[in-house]
Amino acid sequence: MTEQNSIQTDSAALAAKRILLIVAGGIAAFKTPDLVRRLRERGAAVRVVLTDGGAQFVTPLTLQAVSEDKVYRDLWSLTDESEMGHIQLSRSADVILVAPATANILARMAHGLADDLATTVLLATDKPVLVAPAMNVRMYEHAATQANLALLAARGVGIIGPDEGAMACGEYGPGRMSEPLSIVAHLAQWFRDRLGPKPLAGRHAIVTSGPTHEPIDPVRYIANRSSGKQGHAVAAALATLGARVTLVSGPVRLPDPPGVAVVAVETARQMLDACQAALPADILVAAAAVADWHVAGAGEKKLKKQEGGAPPALLLAENPDILATLSINGPQRPALVVGFAAETNNVLAYAQAKLARKGCDWIVANDVSPGTGTFGGDRNSVHLIRREQPVEDWPDLPKTDVAARLAARIADHFENGKK
Ligand code: C5P
């Protein structure tokens, strides 16, 4: 797998995960800044506890710089404890990773010692713990270490590696800490194994989101008030259910949703091109607020105000209708095409008409009349209109919940229809 592919696959599992990394005192500690960097590049948040032994091999400053967070060192530090007590620290993560896990820290973990911050955190935690052992081959093979590892494994501690190879001490055998990328892959798989079912695994979804910008000249454009929040939330929700998602987005001020491939566009024509380039797909959700018109003949030069002259007349030309174009029957038509209908009045009647006119399968209709706060806001109140099925009126919900419900209905559709 290429590095880029590994970032993409592992990001879906690691994005937004909180990892508490305990760095104990082995030579392999020098690899932990790279480990932190790799985890963070896949979207995980990493907080570090560094033991005194660990600090012999890697500086707190290095780990602080790569984690962009405070590095916790001392059980007896009043500042550490007042900022985040050891109990809170031990619970503020989704998983605790001990890397490198030396023979000494494994022994202390196995026997419940709590004589420094790292071991106190490990004893106080209610979170899952994974260890990446790293030590000399004889220490690793010693009956005491093997018994400690067996005890920890029996208590549910996950063990990553160690690898076999040449050691810093000149000997050869098992005991080398797994490479950072292999620890990352292991952790990603560990999270994937714990996730719920992935009903949309193997499906490709294209989602459009945000406004479009239609240039008047190189500096001015026609736009609308869409924030992209709903479309981005739909992309994230489909990815959570296992779909491979291509999010074709107009200009928005939102972070890319984790585990989603984002194609940034500006105009409606670019949006259509990007969607067509992303085909084939099983699902299309057209949530973008696409401009109906563009300025015909928008030039390369900025329009100039003419002293005493009339303002320029803008000639508008129609934009392609992305939803209608991609709904046309043919081999490339996604099996399920979902449009959005933002209306200010007669919401249901107009939306029903839109379903027929555009040729899509479902419409999510919402009221955007002034006062609803839908545009740019975080909540949405919608109706789901599907051919030959009763209309569903959903209560006022956060846009992320609307997205999760829609993704669940889409998963049901494929599950029931087994298309
Ligand atoms: O026609 P109207 O803009 O109300 O239709 C809204 C639906 O059509 C939305 O799903 C929107 O993303 C889609 N649409 C489109 N291309 C256009 C106009 C609207 O895909 N040019």
Side-chain angles (χ1 to χ4, degrees), residues 208-210 212 214 268 271-272 275 284-293 318-326 338-343 350 354 357-358 360 362-364:
T208 71
S209 182
T212 62
E214 307 295 337
M271 190 173 270
L272 176 60
C275 288
L284 168 71
V285 180
V290 186
D292 289 319
W293 306 284
E318 199 159 322
N319 269 334
D321 189 314
I322 300 163
L323 178 60
T325 306
L326 299 181
V338 183
F340 272 68
E343 308 289 354
Y350 284 151
K354 197 162 287 177
R357 185 157 37 84
K358 302 251 185 185
C360 57
W362 300 0
I363 285 269
V364 180

Side-chain angles (χ1 to χ4, degrees), residues 26-90:
I27 175 75
F30 83 90
K31 294 182 182 173
T32 55
D34 187 40
L35 175 61
V36 173
R37 184 176 70 83
R38 307 253 185 209
L39 288 168
R40 294 198 61 219
E41 123 194 305
R42 286 155 180 79
V46 186
R47 180 168 278 154
V48 181
V49 171
L50 179 63
T51 67
D52 287 346
Q56 300 292 323
F57 298 97
V58 59
T59 72
L61 200 60
T62 310
L63 288 166
Q64 181 181 303
V66 286
S67 68
E68 290 187 84
D69 197 354
K70 181 183 159 64
V71 169
Y72 290 82
R73 297 280 322 269
D74 189 357
L75 184 58
W76 310 115
S77 153
L78 283 178
T79 37
D80 281 12
E81 279 292 306
S82 64
E83 280 172 17
M84 164 134 13
H86 59 276
I87 303 291
Q88 202 188 339
L89 191 59
S90 75

Side-chain angles (χ1 to χ4, degrees), residues 8-31:
Q8 275 185 3
T9 8
D10 293 341
S11 294
L14 289 168
K17 294 295 185 306
R18 298 163 310 157
I19 295 160
L20 183 69
L21 174 65
I22 295 181
V23 178
I27 175 75
F30 83 90
K31 294 182 182 173

Side-chain angles (χ1 to χ4, degrees), residues 3 9 94 142 167 174 177 185 194 212 238 259 281 317:
E3 162 122 36
T9 8
D94 297 310
H142 195 285
M167 315 222 130
M177 187 175 83
R194 262 146 205 83
T212 62
L238 290 170

Side-chain angles (χ1 to χ4, degrees), residues 109-186:
M109 285 170 74
H111 298 283
L113 302 189
D115 53 0
D116 65 359
L117 180 61
T119 46
T120 308
V121 161
L122 284 161
L123 199 59
T125 192
D126 56 0
K127 301 297 181 204
V129 177
L130 294 166
V131 297
M135 67 202 74
N136 164 274
V137 55
R138 285 177 200 274
M139 293 171 82
Y140 177 69
E141 285 175 347
H142 195 285
T145 305
Q146 289 301 315
N148 289 335
L149 278 168
L151 198 58
L152 291 170
R155 283 189 204 137
V157 171
I159 297 167
I160 306 174
D163 287 355
E164 196 171 303
M167 315 222 130
C169 52
E171 290 184 71
Y172 187 95
R176 277 167 64 105
M177 187 175 83
S178 296
E179 290 302 321
L181 268 183
S182 139
I183 297 181
V184 167
H186 190 107

